[in-house]
Amino acid sequence: MMADHAMITIAEDYFTKGCGRCARFATPDCSTRRWIDGLNDLRRICLDMGLVEVVKWGHPCYMYEDRNIAMIGAFRGDFLLTMFNAALLKDPEAILKKRGPNARVATEFNFTDTAEVIAQEEVIRTYIAEAIGYAKAGIKPEKIVRDIDMPDELTDALDDDPELAEAFDALTPGRQRSYMFNLNSAKNSSTRVKRIAKFRDKIIAGKGALER
C-alpha cells in the first residue's frame, strides 16, 4: 500500500486515488475526485490518438516514440492537459494558457468544468496530432537563450536525462537561475556533477535550489 506523499508509479492509480503527492491521496478530498469525468475524457483522447501512457512526476504522461507529448494534472480549482514542446504549436486562437506569470510559453489546456473537455475535443485532438507530427519529424523548439551561462555538466546531464530536461525546462526562469548560480559557484567539475545528482529530485518536484 502506498504511503502518503509517495508519488504513484502506475497510471491507473491516478484515476482511482490521485497522484500521491499529498495527504489527500486516496481520499474523497483529492483534487482528482472533483474532476474525474474530465480527466477520464482526456485520458481517452490521448489513448485514442495512439499515445503511450506512462507515469512521470506522479502524473499520467502520454508519449509518442519516447517523446513526451502531453501530461494530465488536477488541482483544487482546475484541471489541465499540458502540452510538451508547446513553443512549436501554432495555437492561432491562443487557446493554450500559461501556468503562472513567470511562464515563458503557453502550454496548457485549462478546464474549470468537466464538460469543457468534450466541448474542446476536436481542438485537443488537432493539437495532439500536430505535436505527434513534430515528434515524427524529430523537430524540437529552439533552445532558450539564458542570461546566465549554463555549466557544461548541467548541459550534459539534461542531454542524458530527458525526464530531468523536461522538468528543468518547466521551471520558472528564477528557479533555473538558482541552480546555475549554485553550480557555477563550484570550482571543480566533480563537485558540479555531485550537486546535479543531489538536485535532481528537487528539479523534478519543480523547486528551486534554495527551496525545501
Side-chain angles (χ1 to χ4, degrees), residues 45-135:
I45 292 168
C46 289
L47 294 177
D48 281 351
M49 296 292 291
L51 301 178
V52 175
E53 183 180 68
V54 299
V55 172
K56 293 189 177 184
W57 313 297
H59 291 79
C61 183
Y62 297 88
M63 306 183 69
Y64 181 85
E65 293 185 353
D66 297 322
R67 180 155 156 178
N68 295 332
I69 300 294
M71 184 167 64
I72 289 174
F75 301 91
R76 287 185 181 271
D78 60 1
F79 67 105
L80 50 91
L81 182 71
T82 299
M83 302 298 297
F84 290 94
N85 295 310
L88 293 172
L89 299 175
K90 296 182 178 65
D91 194 21
E93 298 181 18
I95 293 172
L96 298 178
K97 307 300 181 185
K98 293 182 179 180
R99 172 60 62 170
N102 294 320
R104 299 190 184 201
V105 178
T107 62
E108 299 177 357
F109 285 98
N110 185 277
F111 310 98
T112 55
D113 186 321
T114 56
E116 291 173 346
V117 178
I118 297 297
Q120 296 187 43
E121 180 166 352
E122 184 176 348
V123 175
I124 295 169
R125 287 177 176 271
T126 298
Y127 280 51
I128 291 175
E130 184 182 351
I132 290 173
Y134 295 130

Side-chain angles (χ1 to χ4, degrees), residues 4 8 57 63 70 84 102 104 131 158 175 182 202 210:
D4 289 341
I8 61 167
W57 313 297
M63 306 183 69
F84 290 94
N102 294 320
R104 299 190 184 201
L158 298 179
R175 289 191 173 103
N182 184 291
K202 293 181 74 171
L210 302 179

Side-chain angles (χ1 to χ4, degrees), residues 140-173:
K140 295 183 179 181
E142 293 184 6
K143 290 187 176 181
I144 297 172
V145 177
R146 308 180 194 277
D147 54 5
I148 301 174
D149 290 337
M150 181 180 289
D152 290 341
E153 293 82 3
L154 180 57
T155 299
D156 292 342
L158 298 179
D159 287 342
D160 293 340
D161 188 339
E163 182 180 7
L164 182 64
E166 294 285 2
F168 189 82
D169 285 342
L171 293 175
T172 63

Side-chain angles (χ1 to χ4, degrees), residues 166-185:
E166 294 285 2
F168 189 82
D169 285 342
L171 293 175
T172 63
R175 289 191 173 103
Q176 291 178 349
R177 285 194 292 269
S178 73
Y179 287 107
M180 290 187 280
F181 273 128
N182 184 291
L183 295 172
N184 283 329
S185 70

